[in-house]
Amino acid sequence: MIPISTVRLGPAVEAKVLEVIRSGNIAQGPVVAEFENRFAELVGARHAVAVNNGTTALVAAIQSLGLEPGDEVITSPFTFIATLNAILEAGATVRFGDIRVEDFALDPESVRAQITDRTKAIIPVHLYGQSADMKAISAIAAEHSLAIIEDGAQAHGARFEGKGVGTFGIGCFSFYATKNLTTGEGGIITTDDDEIAATLRIMRNQGMRARYEYVMAGHNYRLTDLQAAVVIPQLDDYAALLETRRANAAALSEKLSDIEGLVLPAQLDGREHVWHQYTVLLPQGVDREAFVASLAELGIGSGIYYPKPVYDYDTYRDRADVIRSETPVADDVAARCVSLPVHQHLADGDIDTIAAAVRQVLAR
Ligand SMILES: *Cc1c(COP(=O)(O)O)cnc(C)c1O
């Protein structure tokens, strides 16, 4: 079986983790600080604040804006459910723009249509590893004095016109086991704003500014040195990992380009894609479940990220803080998307095997 993702950590990770275990300093300490410095450098942000997962990164980032009940944020309907859950956890009301097929991310014009006098922030999602259109989104945010919080959980090191995602506003990243960079569970928040960084550091540590000096009702959002040790060696190898993912994506696109009706993902001009996922849209009318099952029979793993717009589940249907809108592009994309293996652990010949299987199943 060629899996959609594989976690394989090497001897450098084992050595670094062992170092932490032997140090006796296993909670948040110097290795978390090292991770923050290294990640801030990767993204090009002044500050990076590590937290315990990507969802809490989003919750903390939204909480740092100091919203009032009824304040609204606008996000993408085509994302992992965590984006929506974090917004609700932070106490905001959510509206949804639609997406564009080209980058699977927020369509800036659709965002404009959702702005009300309660809107406080836009939360673009850099889905699959490619930046949203941050030029247009930043312009709309500036025009309406809105904050930007970026969900970069899948886009570590992605760039838009040379600028790292996570530097257009407050950036939120996940280090879950299967993300491009991992700590098992982990998150980080990036910002150029000294005050927001300071607030986030206090918030993640029980609201404590100095010992027993509590300036807010905070939380325990801390990451541990044990977890940070897992990612430090991965940062050393990240450029090579991205090279491999880019080469795999290019090879898949070359081998699949002549299949009628199959929509292939592309890196748009001015953007640096980090290929967390390689996601195609099946030709109209193809039965996706049957396609996925046939691929599995041929030994190819695949994934559906994501099968429906996030608001389209019963548990959110009657909530006053989840305001639905028409999202025809997201509806269509969610119904046709399939992600194929693109990761750095593919073996020689795997790309050929994957492409041949896709071709064979679609020809039936
Ligand atoms: C993974 C992910 C998250 C949540 O991160 P966790 O670390 O799993 O909490 C949020 N948004 C998107 C788009 C993700 O892919």
Side-chain angles (χ1 to χ4, degrees):
M1 191 78 185
I2 302 175
I4 184 72
S5 66
T6 304
V7 179
R8 203 178 294 158
L9 303 169
V13 171
E14 290 174 17
K16 186 84 180 172
V17 171
L18 196 57
E19 213 178 280
V20 171
I21 290 171
R22 289 178 175 164
S23 77
N25 229 327
I26 59 173
Q28 182 185 296
V31 187
V32 167
E34 182 184 357
F35 171 38
E36 291 176 335
N37 292 335
R38 294 281 303 270
F39 196 77
E41 197 181 316
L42 172 71
V43 164
R46 263 174 76 82
H47 306 280
V49 180
V51 293
N52 52 357
N53 61 62
T55 309
T56 49
L58 285 162
V59 172
I62 299 165
Q63 286 175 330
S64 79
L65 300 179
L67 302 187
E68 307 281 334
D71 282 348
E72 297 175 4
V73 304
I74 301 167
T75 194
S76 169
F78 189 55
T79 180
F80 180 48
I81 205 74
T83 317
L84 170 56
N85 286 341
I87 292 166
L88 299 177
E89 171 81 18
T93 292
V94 58
R95 291 179 184 269
F96 300 92
D98 202 354
I99 61 167
R100 289 197 294 212
V101 176
E102 302 91 278
D103 56 10
F104 302 107
L106 269 179
D107 174 349
E109 285 314 306
S110 76
V111 169
R112 228 179 250 289
Q114 297 299 323
I115 294 173
T116 72
D117 54 9
R118 297 303 304 267
T119 308
K120 292 295 185 301
I122 307 174
I123 307 185
V125 181
H126 306 303
L127 203 70
Y128 305 146
Q130 178 156 238
S131 174
D133 181 350
M134 292 316 296
K135 189 173 182 180
I137 290 169
S138 300
I140 294 169
E143 199 180 309
H144 295 271
S145 302
L146 306 176
I148 294 175
I149 293 175
E150 304 172 66
D151 184 340
Q154 304 186 1
H156 318 82
R159 292 178 173 273
F160 182 90
E161 296 184 349
K163 219 166 118 60
V165 310
T167 66
F168 293 88
I170 306 176
C172 299
F173 297 84
S174 164
F175 298 85
Y176 178 67
T178 56
K179 301 283 154 95
N180 278 16
L181 291 165
T182 179
T183 57
E185 297 275 9
I188 217 164
I189 307 158
T190 54
T191 177
D192 286 337
D193 187 313
D194 298 351
E195 217 167 297
I196 285 173
T199 299
L200 290 170
R201 288 181 192 285
I202 292 167
M203 188 188 291
R204 79 171 164 187
N205 191 27
Q206 306 291 3
M208 195 166 79
R209 186 164 52 199
R211 194 157 183 82
Y212 300 134
E213 188 185 332
Y214 302 109
V215 297
M216 66 173 82
H219 307 265
N220 177 356
Y221 287 157
R222 296 184 305 264
L223 190 73
T224 67
D225 273 19
L226 266 180
Q227 293 166 302
V230 174
V231 77
I232 304 276
Q234 296 172 55
L235 288 164
D236 295 335
D237 299 337
Y238 195 49
L241 178 152
L242 291 183
E243 262 323 297
T244 306
R245 283 182 177 257
R246 283 185 186 124
N248 288 344
L252 276 171
S253 288
E254 194 206 310
K255 292 180 199 304
L256 297 173
S257 64
D258 63 331
I259 298 181
E260 181 87 15
L262 184 71
V263 179
L264 303 180
Q267 173 176 279
L268 301 186
D269 282 351
R271 305 193 203 184
E272 285 173 45
H273 202 315
V274 297
W275 295 103
H276 175 60
Q277 298 291 352
Y278 181 94
T279 303
V280 302
L281 300 184
L282 295 178
Q284 295 284 0
V286 170
D287 178 339
R288 178 166 60 183
E289 262 180 57
F291 175 83
V292 166
S294 301
L295 274 191
E297 272 167 34
L298 294 169
I300 314 296
S302 59
I304 311 295
Y305 311 116
Y306 295 93
K308 293 204 283 185
V310 282
Y311 57 71
D312 197 15
Y313 292 87
D314 284 344
T315 192
Y316 301 111
R317 222 170 292 284
D318 298 322
R319 294 184 62 133
D321 50 2
V322 178
I323 301 175
R324 301 164 66 104
S325 51
E326 295 290 310
T327 60
V329 182
D331 296 352
D332 177 55
V333 165
R336 292 166 60 203
C337 63
V338 178
S339 301
L340 301 171
V342 73
H343 55 80
Q344 67 274 18
H345 303 299
L346 292 179
D348 279 354
D350 281 354
I351 295 285
D352 289 333
T353 308
I354 296 162
V358 169
R359 184 177 299 280
Q360 184 186 331
V361 174
L362 287 178
R364 283 177 190 168

